Amino acid sequence: MSAAAGSVWNANSWHWEEKSYTKWSREYLQARLGSLKLVEDVDGFSVTTLPTPAVSGEASVSVRKGKTILAVDMAVKLQFEAQLKQDGNRKCRGEISVTDISSESVEDRDYTTSARLTDVDLPAAEAMTAEERQQALAIVKRNGMNAVHAALERFIKDLQEAESNSERLQADKAQREAELQRMQVAEKEKGEEKKAIAEQQKRMDSEMKERARQRAAAQPAPPSQPAQVEGQGSVWNANSYHWEEKPMTRWCRSTLEERFNSAELSLLDGSTTLKFFNVKVDGEASNTIRKGKKLVIFDLTIGADWTATARDEAGVFLADSRGRLDVRDFSSETLDDYEVTIQGDGKVPPQQRIDTAAKTELPEKIKDLLSKFVDDLRARG
């Protein structure tokens, strides 16, 4: 692979870049393979290709890490005319087909070729005999393909040099240097412009701050605003007349979690103490004020694990058990109709006795705890 020159953006031709050379290749092969002398006076026969051969396929040149990579897949069809100068200069015509043309196949000469005779109406005095036609075809196959191969070898070489010739590389280098200089000049000018704008903006900011300070110093102090009262609307909401909604979700969640986590509830006439852990509260809550009236809105669910320990009058441990508490549909619309579910994990009778007490006694104690919570929520602004 030879050195290559990518586009201006492709510094040092390092990145992969592919350029189409299909048009260039087709025009090149049409020019070089048209009117090509295939055979010169071999056994009295001379063979020449006709102009404008048919060329098909694709060709491209890629550059990567400064190297040239050819990608060629082309085919040509050549019409030829053979002449026998003995006894009156008789003629015949035929066709040569060359397929699978690539840089590798040309180097190894393993592309596919074929030659055949074609029927063309010629005056009887100018037409070869059948035997002479076969002789001409044999000479084309034996000798004429060398000229085709030489033309294809030159094509591959010129295609590679089209992208990597020294003049192009030098011109590319000069173009890159000129482009770099233009970029450096532009960046310098832009940097100086940015610096000037920044300094101007800094001066303007300082002047604005100074004018604002002077205006503030010249104005009388504003009258003090009354403090917001619990249960009233915000300062802007005169007489709490306008609709105003205050979010209370965070307060509700943290308050309920704190109260459940710190609660110690007595069961079985005080012999058993139940505590909650892993408390989690979900849902939404808000306080809404309109025309001086306050409306509490909430919809919450509470989940917690519990553990309970039973002791005798002397404080001696008797048994313990664990379970789960879930409060669902606890909302401002179902204050007395929410759902309380209590489960126990006791496996032996003393534990099961605790579980039964939890299921029968806890709901009322939970109701008291939640009623106090609702009162506190309503009391907040």
Side-chain angles (χ1 to χ4, degrees), residues 113-149:
T113 61
S114 63
R116 66 183 183 89
L117 296 171
T118 57
D119 294 327
V120 179
D121 291 333
L122 295 172
E126 297 181 7
M128 292 183 185
T129 65
E131 183 180 354
E132 291 170 341
R133 283 163 54 88
Q134 291 301 320
Q135 286 180 320
L137 180 60
I139 290 174
V140 168
K141 291 181 178 180
R142 185 177 67 249
N143 303 93
M145 295 304 181
N146 292 331
V148 174
H149 179 68

Side-chain angles (χ1 to χ4, degrees), residues 35 47 82 103 108 120 139 142 156 169 179 191 214 225 230 239 242 245 247 256 259 280 320:
S35 302
V47 183
S103 58
D108 299 334
V120 179
I139 290 174
R142 185 177 67 249
I156 295 298
L169 291 172
E179 190 69 22
Q214 292 175 359
Q225 297 287 346
E230 290 286 333
N239 300 320
H242 301 286
E245 182 174 324
L256 283 171
R259 292 185 182 184
K280 184 177 181 181
D320 62 2

Side-chain angles (χ1 to χ4, degrees), residues 252-265 274-281 302-305 325-327 330 362 365-367 369-370 373:
C252 289
R253 290 180 178 178
S254 62
T255 299
L256 283 171
E257 289 175 359
E258 188 276 329
R259 292 185 182 184
F260 271 82
N261 279 319
S262 62
E264 294 187 4
L265 305 180
L274 183 145
K275 297 180 180 180
F276 297 103
F277 63 99
N278 293 335
V279 181
K280 184 177 181 181
V281 180
I302 306 165
D305 296 319
L325 165 74
D326 287 291
V327 180
F330 175 50
L362 261 187
K365 297 180 183 294
I366 296 299
K367 182 178 180 180
L369 192 154
L370 294 180
F373 162 77

Side-chain angles (χ1 to χ4, degrees), residues 12-64:
N12 299 320
S13 300
W14 181 260
H15 303 286
W16 180 276
E17 180 182 357
E18 182 175 325
K19 301 179 182 181
S20 174
Y21 269 78
T22 298
K23 183 175 183 295
W24 183 93
S25 298
R26 291 181 179 181
E27 292 176 351
Y28 181 100
L29 290 174
Q30 286 174 344
R32 293 302 179 95
L33 294 176
S35 302
L36 177 66
K37 183 70 72 173
L38 299 180
V39 177
E40 180 66 31
D41 196 14
V42 175
D43 297 335
F45 289 91
S46 295
V47 183
T48 305
T49 62
L50 300 181
T52 62
V55 183
S56 61
E58 307 290 336
S60 65
V61 178
S62 300
V63 296
R64 175 72 170 97

Side-chain angles (χ1 to χ4, degrees), residues 168-185:
R168 177 182 171 84
L169 291 172
Q170 291 298 325
D172 176 78
K173 181 179 179 181
Q175 184 179 6
R176 291 177 190 276
E177 291 176 351
E179 190 69 22
L180 178 60
Q181 290 178 356
R182 285 195 295 270
M183 290 174 59
Q184 291 174 342
V185 171

Side-chain angles (χ1 to χ4, degrees), residues 1 36 70 106-107 130 194 219 229 236 284 326 348 380-381:
M1 295 183 186
L36 177 66
L70 302 185
V106 171
E107 181 180 358
K194 284 184 176 180
Q219 292 178 355
V229 181
W236 59 265
E284 305 291 337
D326 287 291
V348 296
R380 294 188 65 84

